[in-house]
Amino acid sequence: QVQLVESGGGLVQAGGSLRLSCVASGRTFAGCDVGWFRQAPGNEREFVASIRWFATITNYANSVKGRFTMSRDNAKNTVYLQMTSLKPEDTAVYYCAAKFRAATLWDYWGQGTQVTVSS
């Protein structure tokens, strides 16, 4: 049974920082890509960032480049999203997702964690 659990969301003022975590159970992240997505009310879910587990190759949406950093801890089987210089437009529910390296679709999803940035 594969389960992804996000944590670390909360309320922060503009310019502040938060670190989101995603922990996998049932299997390791080895051989997978892991990504972060977000969805604000009334908007479609959008890609935020991703990482290849072993190579630690990261990719970021243009809207968060230079502000968000994705990393992983192999021993803890955990992925992190460090968010700095937060803006009100970053407000959304953030979801962790994972897929096998060669898979077309993101196969596994967490339930999300709320990030709210006040102006």
Side-chain angles (χ1 to χ4, degrees):
Q1 183 70 28
V2 177
Q3 183 177 358
L4 305 180
V5 180
E6 305 99 330
S7 63
L11 175 64
V12 65
Q13 292 185 337
S17 300
L18 286 173
R19 189 182 74 164
L20 306 184
S21 300
C22 176
V23 180
S25 62
R27 63 159 291 142
T28 71
F29 280 130
C32 291
D33 294 346
V34 185
W36 288 97
F37 298 78
R38 67 186 183 186
Q39 186 169 21
N43 294 340
E44 295 183 347
R45 185 172 297 179
E46 65 175 340
F47 169 80
V48 176
S50 66
I51 188 169
R52 297 183 184 182
W53 188 257
F54 287 125
T56 65
I57 297 173
T58 54
N59 187 39
Y60 300 94
N62 288 334
S63 60
V64 305
K65 283 183 178 179
R67 300 189 297 118
F68 291 9
T69 302
M70 194 170 178
S71 61
R72 53 88 162 170
D73 186 326
N74 190 48
K76 298 174 66 175
N77 203 37
T78 300
V79 165
Y80 303 98
L81 183 67
Q82 180 67 48
M83 306 184 294
T84 61
S85 301
L86 283 163
K87 305 174 181 179
E89 52 262 43
D90 295 319
T91 296
V93 177
Y94 283 70
Y95 298 91
C96 178
K99 68 177 183 71
F100 295 113
R101 180 76 273 279
T104 302
L105 303 176
W106 295 89
D107 303 305
Y108 306 103
W109 293 82
Q111 294 186 356
T113 184
Q114 176 71 48
V115 172
T116 302
V117 184
S118 63
S119 59

